[in-house]
Amino acid sequence: MLAVVPPPVTVRVPSKVNLHLAVGDVRPDGYHELNTVFQALSLTDEVTVAVTDEPGVEVVGEGQDEVPTGPSNLAWQAVQALAEHVGKDHTEPKIRVVIRKGIPVAGGMAGGSADAAAALVGLAALWRLDIGRDELLTVAAKVGSDVPFVLQGGTALGTGRGENLIPVLTRHTFHWVIAFDRRGLSTPKVFEELDRLRAEGDPPRIGAVEPVLEALASGDPRQLALLLGNDLQSAAISLRPGLRRTLRAGVNAGALAGTVSGSGPTCAFLCADGESALRVAAELAGAGVCRTVRVAHGPVPGARVIGGDESP
Ligand code: ATP
């Protein structure tokens, strides 16, 4: 008897921007203690998971040549982690993961983590697993510290390495302009640079998180703009001094405020509304300070199935 091959599953997954990223000191395990507010943005990747005769990972789109397709691909690691968790063999039947990237690679927007979250949701649907979101979040945290957030989406307060999440309710939509840099930055190198700067002279640290949560509750982008803060920004600028010019150009173009997203080098500009974001994006694109400009809004939902399709 022939086995029935399930149809491929496609999942859309958001990127993230950190509205607040406070970096504590290095812990004994080598990681830094973080206190962060994430927001999921409409700049997305799409990941298709399928049963196939040609197992492995294929990457197309934004930065495709910089993404590994072997075992180090985070989406593939997620496939392995979920198979192990439920005691299934992902090599029989064989699994293929096709990633369509819109999120900049090594950009500080959790692109790899997003693909891992999408692979978890896609594989769970493909295998029709009886697995709840909480259990999936536990597997996600094992794959990487940003994976639970992009799985969950919305806006959330993250602690630990960013994997312990408390949802932040906000009924408002915020409008962003995203500036991609010409090359990525390595997250571990940016943390090392922050340690070096702190050893040299203790650069100022960002303020408390509570006012950020109040601004989110008010929904006023002007209030939130005054409070955007990222302890990694000085380190990212130290490694990539041109970011200072990019941040200035976004504000000159009419954004309320700009911030380096996570470990950078992508810069995110908060705008007053959707129309203003379009105007800022057009002007920034002509300023010659970045490779690509996109508009996005947030918060948006986390990784979710957008439908089966016929071809892997
Ligand atoms: P974060 O914001 O979580 O620190 P990032 O957005 O700065 O991460 P990623 O786009 O996740 O960075 O890429 C970091 C590195 O991970 C890349 O240089 C790439 O080699 C590797 N990588 C592994 N899997 C993926 C993937 N599916 N997509 C992108 N990069 C991946």
Side-chain angles (χ1 to χ4, degrees):
M1 206 175 77
L2 281 176
V4 178
V5 176
V9 177
T10 298
V11 175
R12 181 172 298 144
V13 63
S15 53
K16 61 88 181 162
V17 62
N18 302 82
L19 310 178
H20 173 97
L21 177 51
V23 181
D25 294 323
V26 192
R27 311 189 307 199
D29 65 3
Y31 287 98
H32 292 75
E33 189 67 27
L34 303 181
N35 194 330
T36 186
V37 180
F38 296 109
Q39 181 156 96
L41 297 188
S42 61
L43 180 68
T44 57
D45 279 359
E46 281 179 19
V47 176
T48 300
V49 181
V51 170
T52 175
D53 290 334
E54 297 171 73
V57 178
E58 184 184 335
V59 183
V60 294
E62 173 60 38
Q64 60 181 57
D65 297 334
E66 290 134 62
V67 180
T69 52
S72 64
N73 190 291
L74 282 171
W76 192 252
Q77 291 182 10
V79 166
Q80 287 177 314
L82 186 58
E84 205 172 288
H85 181 78
V86 298
K88 258 178 100 96
D89 185 357
H90 68 278
T91 61
E92 206 50 63
K94 300 179 175 81
I95 296 297
R96 182 163 189 82
V97 178
V98 180
I99 301 172
R100 284 173 220 88
K101 290 209 71 75
I103 306 172
V105 177
M109 299 196 79
S113 304
D115 299 338
L120 290 177
V121 171
L123 191 59
L126 186 80
W127 280 346
R128 296 183 190 282
L129 296 178
D130 183 18
I131 186 167
R133 276 264 155 171
D134 282 353
E135 199 177 340
L136 218 46
L137 282 170
T138 310
V139 182
K142 287 187 193 144
V143 181
S145 36
D146 285 346
V147 185
F149 176 69
V150 275
L151 184 67
Q152 189 164 298
T155 306
L157 182 63
T159 55
R161 289 163 54 192
E163 78 282 27
N164 304 321
L165 298 173
I166 302 170
V168 174
L169 293 179
T170 151
R171 269 174 278 116
H172 307 273
T173 295
F174 295 92
H175 296 272
W176 296 88
V177 171
I178 310 295
F180 295 13
D181 204 358
R182 292 181 175 81
R183 284 170 299 120
L185 264 179
S186 142
T187 303
K189 288 218 169 84
V190 177
F191 275 97
E192 271 170 37
E193 181 66 5
L194 179 66
D195 291 340
R196 194 187 67 76
L197 293 172
R198 283 183 173 174
E200 265 184 2
D202 217 11
R205 299 188 186 214
I206 64 168
V209 71
E210 288 75 14
V212 179
L213 302 178
E214 282 161 26
L216 280 165
S218 82
D220 179 358
R222 286 176 181 78
Q223 197 180 332
L224 183 62
L226 296 171
L227 297 164
L228 294 179
N230 178 0
D231 277 339
L232 288 176
Q233 181 158 312
S234 55
I237 290 176
S238 169
L239 295 174
R240 192 66 61 78
L243 292 180
R244 217 185 283 280
R245 209 155 67 93
T246 311
L247 289 168
R248 211 178 308 124
V251 173
N252 288 345
L256 299 172
T259 181
V260 168
S261 178
S263 54
T266 309
C267 293
F269 297 94
L270 183 58
C271 297
D273 52 38
E275 274 176 31
S276 157
L278 287 173
R279 281 196 303 272
V280 169
E283 193 166 330
L284 194 58
V289 292
C290 54
R291 177 169 60 84
T292 303
V293 176
R294 297 265 187 276
V295 290
H297 62 270
V300 297
R304 44 178 193 181
V305 173
I306 55 169
D309 55 30
E310 299 311 312
S311 56

